[in-house]
Amino acid sequence: MESGDAGHRTPPITVILPDGQEVRARLHARRRQENGWQYQVGILIWRNSPNGAAEPAEHRAWVSPAHARPLPDVSYQHVPTRTDNALPHRRQPAWTIQHLPHRPGHPSATLIHVIGCTPSDHTLDREQALAALNQPRAAACRECAAATSLTPGNQQTAP
C-alpha cells in the first residue's frame, strides 16, 4: 500500500466513471453526512507540465457509494473517517453488507461490516445484520470486528 500526503495508507478501490468505465483508484478518506456516505478517491491521470511534457497527476473527488466499489481482500480500516457532528446520534449500531461475486475456485459470498469499514450504500439494522449473517456463505468482517458488535449483549453504538 502507498502512503498519501497525510501519511496514511491509501488502499486501492474501484471507481465507476460517469460513462460506465471502471478504473482503479486510491481511497483517501470517507465521510458520513446527512445524505449518506461519501468517499474521497484519487485517480491517476495525465496532465501537461509547464514544459509541455505529459506527467502523471492525481485527480481527487468525493463520490457516493454507487461510484466506489471495494476490492476483495483489501483492508480499509486505516482510511481516515469523518462524521458530521450535526448528525443525530444513533442508538443502535449500523452495519453494511458486501456481496462478493463468484470467482474461479471461490463461490460467491457475503460479508457483514460495521458501517464505515467498506464503501456500501446498503445499511442494515441489528436484526437485518443478524439475518444476513445466518445465510449460507455469509461471514462477519474480521477487520472491523463486526462479529463482536453482533454478539448478544453487545449493544455498542456505531462509529
Side-chain angles (χ1 to χ4, degrees), residues 40-94:
Q40 186 184 45
V41 297
I43 301 172
L44 201 56
I45 59 173
W46 293 105
R47 74 169 177 197
N48 291 327
S49 68
N51 66 2
E55 63 184 17
E58 185 180 56
H59 172 75
R60 290 190 188 185
W62 287 96
V63 298
S64 73
H67 299 108
R69 188 172 55 240
L71 297 170
D73 303 322
V74 173
S75 172
Y76 296 95
Q77 81 178 72
H78 296 291
V79 175
T81 303
R82 301 179 207 137
T83 302
D84 184 348
N85 291 333
L87 291 175
H89 180 68
R90 287 195 143 135
R91 297 206 182 273
Q92 289 188 331

Side-chain angles (χ1 to χ4, degrees), residues 66-145:
H67 299 108
R69 188 172 55 240
L71 297 170
D73 303 322
V74 173
S75 172
Y76 296 95
Q77 81 178 72
H78 296 291
V79 175
T81 303
R82 301 179 207 137
T83 302
D84 184 348
N85 291 333
L87 291 175
H89 180 68
R90 287 195 143 135
R91 297 206 182 273
Q92 289 188 331
W95 296 268
T96 60
I97 191 165
Q98 177 186 11
H99 298 285
L100 302 174
H102 174 79
R103 299 180 317 205
H106 299 283
S108 61
T110 302
L111 280 178
I112 308 301
H113 301 275
V114 170
I115 197 163
C117 177
T118 338
S120 176
D121 54 353
H122 300 282
T123 58
L124 308 171
D125 62 25
R126 183 176 190 79
E127 291 76 29
Q128 292 169 322
L130 287 169
L133 199 53
N134 286 323
Q135 297 300 311
R137 292 188 300 281
C141 175
R142 293 180 188 156
E143 297 290 328
C144 66

Side-chain angles (χ1 to χ4, degrees), residues 17 29 37 54 115 135 155 159:
L17 299 178
W37 284 93
I115 197 163
Q135 297 300 311
Q155 302 292 324

